[in-house]
Every structure is written in structure tokens, then in C-alpha cells.
Amino acid sequence: MDLDQPQTMPTSGGGGGGGDRLSALSDGVIGHILSFLPAKEAARAAVLSSRWRHTFAAVHTVSLVEPDPPVVDHYELARYSPGWGPPPDPNQPPPFTNVVSAALLARHRRAAVPPLRALHVSTVGYCRSDASLVDQWIAYAVNQADPAVGLDLDLRLHREPLSDKAYSLRRRRGASADHADQDTDDDNDDEDASRKRRRRWRSRSRSPVRYASIEDANLGLSPPYMYIPRSPSLSPPPPRLSCSPQGCDEDDDDDDDDDEDVISSDEKSTRGYDYTPAVHAVPSGLFSCAALRSLSLGHCLLAPPAAIALPSLETLLLARVSDAGSDVQRLISGCPRLADLTLEACATVTALTTVAGLRRLALRCCHALRTVAVDASPGPPRLQAFEYRGSVPDDTFLTIHGGASLTTVAYCKIDICGEEVTSSSELAKLSAFLRLFAGAKHLHLESARLGSGLDDAAAFATLPTFSALSHLELRGYLPNDDDDAIYAALTMILERAPNLETLSLVFHPEPLDGGDDAMLHITYYKEEELYDKHLLSYNRHSVLAAPTSGGGAMAPACLRRRVREINLVHYQGGAAQRTLAMYLLRSAAAIGELGCELAMGPLWIQDELARELEGWVMNKAAIVNIG
């Protein structure tokens, strides 16, 4: 090859000629491609060339998510005098509701408008003044839908954490003294040390409170209420917050109970608060849309009419709807083709009866729900996936009409949120609940402590054999002061999963801990402080002892012979986690792949942990992915 001669790059595909082949496609094909992008990204294609100027008019999916408001820089505000702040941004973006309306109108830049297949809108908050615009979005989606193609409508009008029940640990009495985090050895200080430790373990998943406007001010309560002052001179101060990078919580007094700061109903009327939630009433015409195939509504008032006609609806998600449980049940019963049902934080639903043919059921943080009846008529139940998040359910929580069993459920996820369950009676209920899903192929267990209390041999003595189980996933905290309970829990479940092939452990991240009360109540962090307070807890001088109980000298048979893949997610390198990883990797002789996602921290610590994990793998030919 003569390097002095100019070379030409080969064109993709057959035939000669170069040029922009993507622009040569028809508007329908380009619009279909852009429909897989968020609406803002798809609209930016108009600046590519004059050919792409009106390509957004050909998209059939509009997806918009309102960005979170910027976090206030307290260090920047401290430079100004009280009552003053930085000048307003001259390039302030328009209201998000106007952005959504503009995106829908942009589809009409050309005469031929394709039918709308999906409209996804997620907002940070909802104001009563937005009601007319939201009704226009829904009416537009219903009128522009094609019954032959179907419509996917996803409308979330407020963004907040799913549950206010954060994971919290109970300190075990039998924890090893070598790993216990005690402030003193004095017996009189044990209770205070335990309380401080539980507060440090409390998950802070809520987002920091941001004040976009006085009528949207979130006062840190759940659910979000509107603050309306009675007069311009009456403006109560915001609550004291103790914040960390994981979120903000109302400041707790060390010597007082949490309930002492709750505002009584008599005080509400004198402080100028209006505690009526701002929710949007869904127009009744939506419940007679024949083209609707997927419907997701969050923070809305359904108020379904007497006659509900949704013959094509297959997927339904309701999050924090404020209707009575009977209205929610009527809506579900009016969907004869419903195959996927999800309820999230529906506080008014106490009883639920599913429709025949349901294939997936997800119940998340519906804490008032007491009974769920799966309709199996005609024939056996078709339920293939089940998800549950909440407290430990009673024995009569889940029933099946006709006395059939849930042998068709292949995927089961059970998440016990809130405080760690240690009561034998509660653990016995959890064991009875797990027995319903003995035929699952993928079992997902999550709780405050890794293992979900499976180390209680008496409570789980009747746990059946999961002969079809091939993938087990456990999630929870594994603190450094944990004893050998995790090995007993793993032995309990692994001995009942003879065909297990994949084992995944997801460690809950520990909140950033300052080590004393002053740091616990710090309000904000500098950016460099976040990098300094990493989540790795590696100590190269720790002694990693083999388990003395539970695992014993011989690991379960499936771990030694069947397990092909082990995944460790958010591996922080504490003594308990390293000992558990050493036990698993040295026992899994047939392992073919190891995946590990390390927690945030310095590179040299991550390298040390990676080399340590690679050295523990029995099969040196196994694929190791650590990052």
C-alpha cells in the first residue's frame, strides 16, 4: 500500500457512493428511530440540518421527565447579607408544563401526523393551576391514539420516595466483641450506644427539600402537603433538617422521642397550614378509551365512572391514588384483559381481587392491604411473577380461588422494609409466605439485614425444597459487627435449593457516618468532603476467620457442585463482607463467572479488594469482572 496516496473509507452496505444515508430514510422511519429517545433529545435532532428540521413531527412517542430543581449552595448563600441572594437567572427555563404542551404541538408541524403510541410525563410536583393543562394532555393522547396500535399513557404528577419505612437494624446480642462498635464498655452506656448505632444505620433515601415556590414548598412530611399562609406576614419557618448525601430527615432530639415534634391537629389551624393534598382528578373519558393498552397514574384521583370500558388494557400501575379501595377494585374489575397489575403506596386499599388471566402482580408499600385473592377461574392460575414490599404479611394474606397453588410463579420478590424482623412469630409468618412460592425459579429476598432472618432454624423448620430455584438474590445490610448468622441463613436456603446456579448478594450501602453526634446532625457537605468520606471500609490487618456456625466445615452441596455464577453488588470490603466472600469463593469449586461491583472509594483500596477476590476464586479459569 502506498502511504503517500490518499485513501478512501469504505461505505457501509452494498453499492458505491457515500453521503448521509440516515437522512435518506423516510420521515416515518426517522420518526420511529427518534421515538426511542427522550423528547428533548429527539427535538435536538432538528439542528443537524434542514432535512431534520421537522423530523420531530414524525415521532409517535413523547417522553418527558422534569429535572430536579438545583440544590441550593449554602456556601454561596453565606456570602450574601440576610434577605439577599444571588441574582435571578436570566435564562430561566420555561415551566415544565409548557414544555410538555409545546412538545405535543410540535408533532403538528406537518400535515401528516402519525398516531400517538405513548405519552410519558413525570413531574416533580403538581399545582392545582396545572389541572387544565394536564386534562389537555390526556385528551390529546386519547384523541391521537390509534386503536389498532394501542396507547401507552404514563402520568406521574409527583416524585417522592416509595416508602417512609427505612431499613434499620437491631443490634444483635451475640455480636462479636472484636467487631462491635461501642462507645464504651460501661453497661450503663449500652442503650445509648445501641440507639446511636440504629440512627446511623437508618437509610436516608429521601431527597433534600427544595423550595421552588411558596405554594410548592414541601415541608418534609409524607405525603407532600401544600403550604398556604393565611396572610403575607404569617410564614412559619421550615423544619430543622439533618442532611447527608443520601437525603434529609427531620432533626431528632437525642433525649426526646420522635413523636414529640409532631404537630397536633389543634396547632395546625393556628400555624397557617393547609394539609389538603393537591391531587389531579382524572377526566372520566379516559376510562372509556378503547385504544388504551397501558396505563400508569401517580398522585391522581381516579373517581372512575359507573361504566368502565377498557377492553384493551393489559398493564395497569396505580401509585398513591387517593380513591377508596372499592373504586380501585372497580377499575381493576373493569379490565378483562389485564395481565400486569402494580399497586404502589395505595393507603386506602384494604382488600384486592385480581382478574382471571393476570400474569404479573406487584404490591409495593400498600401497608393497609390485608387480603389478596387471585382469581384462577377458569382453569389454574396464570400468575408468573409476584412482587411484594411491606411488613411481614399474615397467613391469610394471599389466597387463590378454587384452592389451587402458585406453582406457575417463576419469579418471586419479597422485600420486608422497615425495621429488622427478629420476632419468632413474625419469622414464622415469613416462612409460611415463602412456602407459597416453592416452585419459583428466581427468588429475590430483601430486608434490613442480609439473610432475612433465615438463620432462625425453629421459625423456618418447615421451609420446603425449592427444587426449581436456579437464581437466588439476597439484599440487605451486613455490618462489621455481624456474627455467623449470615452463614446459618445461607445454609438454610442453599440446602433447600439443590439446583441453584446463580447466587447474587447485594449489600445495602452504609450511610455516611461522622462518628459523633456533631457529625450526625451536619446540614450539608462540601464536594471535597464527599470524596473523602468514601464507603469502603477495608482494613488489610483484619483477621478473616472461618465461620464457627451455620456454614461449618462442609459447605452446602449446591454451592460446591452446582453454582456457576456469584455476583457481589456494592461490595464495601468490611470484615464481615470479606469473610463471607472468602467462604463463598473458596467453596464454589464449579464457579465459572464472578461479578463484583465495588463501592465508591480510593482506587488503591479497590485494587486491593480486587486482587483479594481473584485470589479466593477456586477455578482459575473462571471469568472475573470486578469494577
Side-chain angles (χ1 to χ4, degrees), residues 35-72:
S35 296
F36 291 95
L37 299 174
K40 286 189 176 182
E41 300 294 334
R44 289 171 183 171
V47 303
L48 294 178
S49 66
S50 58
R51 168 68 181 86
W52 291 75
R53 184 171 301 167
H54 301 292
T55 53
F56 188 81
V59 300
H60 54 69
T61 298
V62 178
S63 179
L64 287 166
V65 177
E66 183 180 7
D68 293 328
V71 180
V72 176

Side-chain angles (χ1 to χ4, degrees), residues 167-175 194-195 197-199 201 418-423 426 448-449 477 479 481-483:
Y167 300 104
S168 60
L169 291 178
R170 297 178 185 268
R171 184 164 161 265
R172 302 208 172 203
R173 294 177 179 269
S194 177
R195 178 167 51 83
R197 183 170 184 80
R198 286 198 301 269
R199 185 172 67 250
W201 278 106
E419 200 170 47
E420 178 187 3
V421 178
T422 57
S423 170
E426 293 293 307
R449 188 180 295 270
Y477 289 120
D481 65 346
D482 197 283
D483 51 13

